[in-house]
Coordinates of all heavy atoms in Angstrom, one line a residue:
G1 N 0.8 -1.2 0.0 CA -0.1 0.0 0.0 C 0.8 1.3 0.0 O 0.4 2.3 -0.6
R2 N 2.0 1.2 0.5 CA 3.0 2.4 0.7 C 2.3 3.7 1.3 O 2.5 4.7 0.9 CB 3.4 2.8 -0.8 CG 4.3 1.7 -1.4 CD 4.8 2.2 -2.7 NE 5.4 1.0 -3.4 CZ 6.7 1.0 -3.8 NH1 7.4 2.1 -3.7 NH2 7.2 -0.1 -4.4
R3 N 1.4 3.3 2.3 CA 0.9 4.4 3.0 C 1.3 4.2 4.4 O 1.2 3.1 5.1 CB -0.7 4.4 3.0 CG -1.3 4.8 1.7 CD -2.6 5.1 1.6 NE -3.4 3.9 2.1 CZ -4.6 3.6 1.7 NH1 -5.2 4.3 0.8 NH2 -5.3 2.5 2.2
P4 N 1.8 5.3 5.2 CA 2.3 5.2 6.5 C 1.3 4.6 7.5 O 1.7 3.9 8.4 CB 2.6 6.7 6.9 CG 2.9 7.4 5.6 CD 2.0 6.7 4.6
A5 N 0.0 5.0 7.4 CA -1.0 4.6 8.2 C -1.1 3.1 8.4 O -1.5 2.4 9.3 CB -2.3 5.2 7.9
R6 N -0.7 2.3 7.3 CA -0.8 0.9 7.2 C 0.3 0.2 8.0 O 0.2 -0.9 8.3 CB -0.6 0.5 5.8 CG -1.9 0.8 5.0 CD -1.8 -0.2 3.7 NE -3.1 0.0 2.9 CZ -3.4 -0.8 2.0 NH1 -2.7 -1.8 1.6 NH2 -4.6 -0.6 1.4
W7 N 1.3 1.1 8.5 CA 2.3 0.3 9.4 C 1.8 0.3 10.9 O 2.3 -0.4 11.7 CB 3.5 1.3 9.3 CG 4.2 1.0 8.1 CD1 4.2 1.8 6.9 CD2 5.2 0.0 7.8 NE1 5.0 1.2 6.0 CE2 5.7 0.1 6.4 CE3 5.6 -1.1 8.5 CZ2 6.5 -0.8 5.9 CZ3 6.5 -2.0 7.9 CH2 6.9 -1.8 6.6
L8 N 0.8 1.1 11.2 CA 0.3 1.0 12.7 C -0.1 -0.2 13.1 O 0.3 -0.7 14.1 CB -0.7 2.1 12.8 CG -0.4 3.6 12.7 CD1 -1.6 4.6 12.7 CD2 0.8 4.0 13.7
P9 N -1.0 -1.0 12.3 CA -1.4 -2.4 12.8 C -0.2 -3.3 12.9 O -0.1 -4.1 13.8 CB -2.4 -2.8 11.7 CG -2.8 -1.6 11.0 CD -1.8 -0.6 11.1
A10 N 0.8 -3.2 12.0 CA 2.0 -4.0 12.1 C 2.7 -3.7 13.3 O 3.2 -4.7 14.1 CB 2.8 -3.9 10.9
V11 N 2.9 -2.5 13.7 CA 3.6 -2.1 14.9 C 2.9 -2.6 16.1 O 3.5 -3.2 17.1 CB 3.8 -0.5 15.0 CG1 4.4 -0.1 16.4 CG2 4.7 -0.1 13.8
A12 N 1.5 -2.4 16.1 CA 0.8 -2.9 17.3 C 0.8 -4.5 17.4 O 0.9 -5.0 18.5 CB -0.7 -2.6 17.1
A13 N 0.9 -5.2 16.3 CA 1.0 -6.6 16.4 C 2.5 -7.1 16.9 O 2.6 -8.0 17.7 CB 0.9 -7.3 14.9
V14 N 3.5 -6.3 16.6 CA 4.8 -6.6 17.2 C 4.8 -6.3 18.7 O 5.3 -7.2 19.4 CB 5.9 -5.6 16.5 CG1 7.1 -5.6 17.3 CG2 6.1 -6.0 15.0
G15 N 4.1 -5.2 19.1 CA 4.0 -5.0 20.6 C 3.3 -6.1 21.2 O 3.7 -6.6 22.4
V16 N 2.2 -6.7 20.7 CA 1.4 -7.8 21.2 C 2.3 -9.0 21.4 O 2.4 -9.8 22.3 CB 0.1 -8.1 20.5 CG1 -0.5 -9.4 20.9 CG2 -0.8 -6.9 20.7
A17 N 3.1 -9.3 20.2 CA 4.0 -10.5 20.2 C 5.0 -10.3 21.4 O 5.3 -11.4 22.0 CB 4.7 -10.6 18.9
L18 N 5.6 -9.1 21.4 CA 6.6 -9.0 22.6 C 6.0 -9.1 23.9 O 6.5 -9.7 24.8 CB 7.2 -7.6 22.5 CG 8.1 -7.4 21.2 CD1 8.5 -6.0 21.1 CD2 9.4 -8.4 21.3
W19 N 4.8 -8.6 24.2 CA 4.0 -8.8 25.4 C 3.8 -10.1 25.7 O 4.0 -10.6 26.8 CB 2.8 -7.9 25.3 CG 1.9 -7.8 26.5 CD1 2.2 -7.3 27.7 CD2 0.7 -8.5 26.6 NE1 1.2 -7.4 28.6 CE2 0.2 -8.2 28.0 CE3 -0.2 -9.1 25.8 CZ2 -1.1 -8.5 28.5 CZ3 -1.4 -9.4 26.2 CH2 -1.9 -9.2 27.6
L20 N 3.3 -10.9 24.8 CA 3.0 -12.4 25.0 C 4.4 -13.1 25.3 O 4.4 -14.0 26.1 CB 2.4 -13.0 23.8 CG 0.9 -12.4 23.6 CD1 0.3 -12.9 22.2 CD2 -0.1 -12.9 24.6
G21 N 5.5 -12.8 24.6 CA 6.7 -13.4 24.9 C 7.2 -13.1 26.2 O 7.7 -14.1 26.9
N22 N 6.9 -12.0 26.8 CA 7.3 -11.7 28.1 C 6.5 -12.5 29.2 O 7.0 -13.0 30.1 CB 7.1 -10.2 28.6 CG 8.2 -9.3 28.0 OD1 9.3 -9.9 27.8 ND2 7.9 -8.0 27.7
G23 N 5.1 -12.7 28.8 CA 4.3 -13.5 29.6 C 4.8 -15.0 29.7 O 4.8 -15.6 30.7
A24 N 5.3 -15.5 28.5 CA 5.7 -16.8 28.4 C 7.1 -17.1 29.2 O 7.3 -18.1 29.7 CB 6.0 -17.2 27.0

């Protein structure tokens, strides 16, 4: 898409993955 706004969900998903990893 080459639109900056499309990166926000990807960044949020990275945050969720890191949070879950800390929980593990």
Side-chain angles (χ1 to χ4, degrees):
R2 297 181 187 235
R3 288 193 304 214
R6 287 198 173 194
W7 285 97
L8 292 176
V11 170
V14 168
V16 169
L18 292 172
W19 181 66
L20 292 170
N22 283 335

